[in-house]
Amino acid sequence: MLGVTDYGAFVIAFIILLAIPGPGNFALITATGKGGIKGGLAATCGVILGDQVLMWLAVAGVATLLAAYPAAFHVVQWAGAAYLAWLGLRMVLSKPGAAPRESSMSNGRYLRQTMLITLLNPKAIMFYMAFFPLFIDPVKHQGMVTFAFMAVTVATVTFLYGLVAVLLTHHLAERMRANPRVSNVLERLAGACLVGFGIKLAAMR
C-alpha cells in the first residue's frame, strides 16, 4: 500500500508503542485531569505535532547528523531531561487543594507542553529512522509519497489513541475530584514519574 509493506502490522506496532508508559502518556493524562476533554485533546495535538516534526527531521537525515555530532545529541537530551524534571517537580510541589479545573491552564499551553516533551527527545528521531525502514517495500517505495502516507497514518493512529485515553481519563478524573486527597496523591505520583523519566533520559548514552 503506497510502498508500505504489511500495513496492518505497521499500525499495530505503532499502537503498542503508543501504549508503553512514557512522559507523553503521563503529560496527556495530566492535561486531561486538569483541563478536561479539551485540554486532553490539545495535549494529543501537541504530541502529534511534535512527532511530525521528528519524523520529517529523521527523513531529512538529522539522525545521521546527531550520530555524527554526539555533543549536539547530548545538549538536546539534557534539555529534554531538565524540562521533564521541571514539570514533574511543579506537580510534586503543588499545594494540596489547588484547583485542577479547566481554567488553570489554557489549551494552548497543554499543546505546547506536550509538543516540547515530544521534541526534546532526540532518541525519537533515531527511533523513526530505524522504525520506518522495517515497513518500507524497497521495490514499491514511492519516495516522499510513502513517507507522507506513513506520517499521516502515525498522526491518525495517535489521535485515535489519544481520544480514547482522554475519554477514559476524563471519566476517572470526574470521580477522583470527589476525593481531593486521592487526586493530590495521584498528581504527585504523576509528577514523580515525570522526574524519573527526566533522570532516565539524562542518564541515557
Side-chain angles (χ1 to χ4, degrees), residues 1 45 51 101 123 135:
M1 184 181 290
C45 290
D51 270 339
R101 299 296 179 180
K123 294 282 185 180
F135 298 95

Side-chain angles (χ1 to χ4, degrees), residues 2-18:
L2 294 179
V4 179
T5 181
D6 205 347
Y7 183 71
F10 172 68
V11 172
I12 292 173
F14 195 74
I15 291 174
I16 293 173
L17 291 168
L18 284 173

Side-chain angles (χ1 to χ4, degrees), residues 52-126:
Q52 291 296 310
V53 171
L54 292 177
M55 279 186 288
W56 288 106
L57 285 176
V59 171
V62 173
T64 303
L65 292 177
L66 286 175
Y69 298 97
F73 178 89
H74 291 308
V75 167
V76 178
Q77 181 179 1
W78 292 330
Y83 185 65
L84 285 177
W86 176 72
L87 288 177
L89 284 174
R90 284 185 60 188
M91 295 170 66
V92 171
L93 300 176
S94 64
K95 295 180 179 179
R101 299 296 179 180
E102 297 187 21
S103 58
S104 61
M105 280 178 60
S106 69
N107 293 330
R109 282 191 64 186
Y110 290 123
L111 185 149
R112 290 191 295 272
Q113 191 176 83
T114 51
M115 184 172 67
L116 276 175
I117 288 174
T118 305
L119 287 174
L120 291 174
N121 182 7
K123 294 282 185 180
I125 301 179
M126 303 294 190

